[in-house]
């Protein structure tokens, strides 16, 4: 009898909403975003070690500057794996794409470890809410049509469901019905993943696991009807994908990171 040798799972790191700035000491509500990203990266290396792939799901820069994207790319150089970047509402797409190309992070359909990862651009210039252009919906459908046998992760910046927070309802993905109409055609989609909401969120929709991840800087209060930030450390999401289509995921936080959050803020 031959026993199939078990292959090592694919280890994937999601980093989201680092909000980096050209200014080295740039902060969001008192949290220095370069320092919080470094604390998260240190936690990844301590707890999980090297990933095989990094998914960066938007708001990489707060100020849209080329310098901020370069800081992001340089910060990832401690990892010896590829990364793929998409834009959020704070990003400036032309600067992000230019620097992503410098760091080979501009491939938005990645096939690795028996899985596929489709990264969608839901940013709308000058707007906080998101929408998927027809070309993005087509890109998603074409990617999934090409590989019907590979389990898929679809990632975007904006939330494509109501997360139970009134103030965030207006700033999610506006054409979510069109998005779900595409996803619903492809049973190989196992996970829809996003950032933007600066909090951990997990649920299920028609057999698809939906998940969001804490920011690498500040966190929004889950379930709050109006803008509110919570005194929780910055975090990341880790996945292990098996070529059988099974996976595990967990969120971790940089618990050693010291910060003083401006909790009375009513927005930024
Ligand atoms: N008080 C507020 N009410 C509504 N939206 C806000 C408020 N403050 C900030 N925002 C926007 O909501 C966004 C949520 O996450 P972002 O980091 O994308 O950036 C935030 C701001 O653009």
């Amino acid at each position: 009898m031959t026993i199939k040798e078990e292959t090592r799972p694919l280890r994937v790191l999601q980093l989201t909403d680092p909000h980096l700035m050209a200014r080295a000491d740039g902060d969001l509500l008192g949290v220095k975003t370069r320092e919080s990203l470094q604390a998260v990266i240190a936690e990844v290396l301590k707890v999980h070690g090297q990933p095989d792939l990094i998914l960066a799901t938007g708001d990489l820069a707060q100020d849209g500057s080329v310098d901020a994207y370069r800081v992001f790319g340089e910060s990832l150089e401690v990892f010896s794996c590829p990364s793929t970047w998409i834009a959020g509402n704070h990003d400036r797409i032309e600067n992000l794409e230019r620097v992503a190309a410098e760091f080979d992070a501009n491939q938005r359909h990645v096939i690795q470890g028996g899985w596929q990862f489709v990264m969608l651009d839901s940013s709308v210039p000058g707007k906080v809410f998101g929408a998927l252009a027809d070309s993005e919906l087509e890109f998603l459908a074409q990617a999934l049509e090409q590989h019907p046998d590979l389990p898929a992760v679809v990632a975007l910046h904006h939330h494509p469901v109501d997360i139970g927070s009134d103030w965030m309802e207006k700033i999610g993905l506006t054409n979510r019905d069109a998005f779900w109409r595409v996803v619903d055609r492809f049973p190989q989609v196992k996970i829809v993943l996003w950032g933007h909401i600066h909090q951990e969120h997990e649920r299920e929709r028609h057999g698809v696991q939906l998940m969001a991840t804490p920011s690498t800087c500040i966190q929004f209060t889950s379930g709050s009807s109006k803008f509110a930030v919570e005194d929780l450390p910055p975090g990341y999401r880790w996945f292990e994908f098996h070529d059988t289509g099974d996976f595990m995921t967990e969120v971790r936080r940089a618990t050693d990171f010291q910060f003083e959050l401006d909790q009375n803020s009513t927005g930024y």
Side-chain angles (χ1 to χ4, degrees):
M1 183 175 82
T2 51
I3 297 171
K4 187 175 176 277
E5 204 176 300
E6 205 170 297
T7 47
R8 183 169 98 46
L10 182 79
R11 297 150 58 87
V12 176
L13 167 65
Q14 182 198 8
L15 294 174
T16 197
D17 299 83
H19 290 266
L20 296 170
M21 303 170 211
R23 262 187 39 227
D25 62 350
D27 73 279
L28 212 52
L29 308 188
V31 175
K32 290 190 175 144
T33 58
R34 291 197 192 184
E35 287 181 4
S36 60
L37 175 63
Q38 289 311 320
V40 166
I41 288 173
E43 188 76 13
V44 173
L45 290 171
K46 185 174 85 183
V47 174
H48 286 110
Q50 288 286 333
D52 300 309
L53 176 67
I54 298 165
L55 311 176
T57 46
D59 283 358
L60 309 185
Q62 168 74 7
D63 60 7
S65 66
V66 164
D67 285 355
Y69 297 117
R70 292 215 172 108
V71 168
F72 186 65
E74 284 158 9
S75 301
L76 299 189
E77 283 175 340
V78 294
F79 300 116
S80 49
C81 71
S83 64
T84 164
W85 306 358
I86 48 174
N89 46 296
H90 286 280
D91 289 303
R92 198 170 303 156
I93 190 77
E94 62 279 12
N95 288 350
L96 183 148
E97 284 180 344
R98 177 174 145 200
V99 181
E102 290 171 14
F103 287 90
D104 283 331
N106 54 350
Q107 176 65 256
R108 295 200 290 119
H109 185 199
V110 178
I111 294 166
Q112 221 175 307
W115 280 70
Q116 58 182 319
F117 302 84
V118 189
M119 307 289 286
L120 299 176
D121 177 10
S122 59
S123 68
V124 180
K127 303 292 179 199
V128 181
F129 63 77
L132 290 166
D134 288 347
S135 54
E136 285 301 295
L137 293 168
E138 230 159 82
F139 167 67
L140 173 63
Q142 278 177 7
L144 295 172
E145 271 159 14
Q146 268 170 36
H147 296 284
D149 301 330
L150 291 181
V153 177
V154 177
L156 71 169
H157 180 69
H158 293 86
H159 43 297
V161 287
D162 179 357
I163 58 144
S165 211
D166 287 349
W167 76 276
M168 293 217 96
E169 191 43 22
K170 301 175 198 84
I171 59 168
L173 186 74
T174 50
N175 61 340
R176 53 189 67 175
D177 292 348
F179 170 68
W180 290 116
R181 271 197 298 279
V182 177
V183 170
D184 288 344
R185 284 169 44 207
F186 297 95
Q188 77 266 39
V189 178
K190 303 284 184 214
I191 295 173
V192 171
L193 177 69
W194 64 88
H196 193 45
I197 66 172
H198 293 223
Q199 63 198 268
E200 182 173 2
H201 189 83
E202 285 182 19
R203 63 209 275 189
E204 191 256 2
R205 179 190 179 279
H206 300 175
V208 180
Q209 301 304 312
L210 314 185
M211 43 189 98
T213 301
S215 160
T216 69
C217 58
I218 61 164
Q219 315 306 322
F220 297 145
T221 307
S222 167
S224 177
S225 58
K226 56 186 193 347
F227 180 94
V229 284
E230 202 165 6
D231 200 13
L232 281 171
Y236 67 95
R237 183 178 288 278
W238 185 261
F239 291 98
E240 297 195 352
F241 293 107
H242 296 266
D243 59 9
T244 54
D246 296 324
F247 67 91
M248 71 70 81
T249 184
E250 65 175 325
V251 162
R252 289 270 182 160
R253 292 178 190 269
T255 45
D256 293 340
F257 180 63
Q258 306 293 322
F259 59 99
E260 270 185 42
L261 176 69
D262 174 7
Q263 274 186 285
N264 298 320
S265 168
T266 53
Y268 60 84

